[in-house]
Amino acid sequence: MGTLRNLAQEIPETMTASDIAQIIGCSERNVKDRVTKMPKFPKALKIGRNRVWIKAEFTEWLMKQRES
């Protein structure tokens, strides 16, 4: 049986729409209404009424955008 500390280390780091907006330089509303609807944008995880994105998946998507 794993410890709580081990479990916490396995949970991926997440980002909110606000975090993403700051990184790509747009509004949180633009992230929610346009960016997240792009075909290759990572799918959000729903936690209650909130949506978050796995940071590693977002970073990978962002790097691919910069390559194109």
Side-chain angles (χ1 to χ4, degrees):
M1 184 170 171
T3 65
L4 186 55
R5 173 181 268 163
N6 290 341
L7 178 62
Q9 290 174 345
E10 293 177 19
I11 297 172
E13 190 173 349
T14 59
M15 305 176 72
T16 64
S18 178
D19 297 330
I20 292 169
Q22 288 180 343
I23 290 169
I24 64 175
C26 68
S27 69
E28 185 176 343
R29 174 61 55 203
N30 195 31
V31 169
K32 290 178 180 178
D33 291 346
R34 297 181 70 201
V35 177
T36 60
K37 291 178 174 64
M38 296 173 73
K40 304 257 181 187
F41 194 80
K43 300 295 179 208
L45 303 173
K46 274 182 88 174
I47 300 175
R49 294 177 55 193
N50 300 312
R51 293 178 188 264
V52 295
W53 290 264
I54 296 175
K55 187 174 185 176
E57 291 176 3
F58 169 75
T59 303
E60 182 179 339
W61 173 84
L62 184 61
M63 297 308 290
K64 287 180 181 176
Q65 298 306 303
R66 291 183 177 177
E67 290 172 1
S68 1

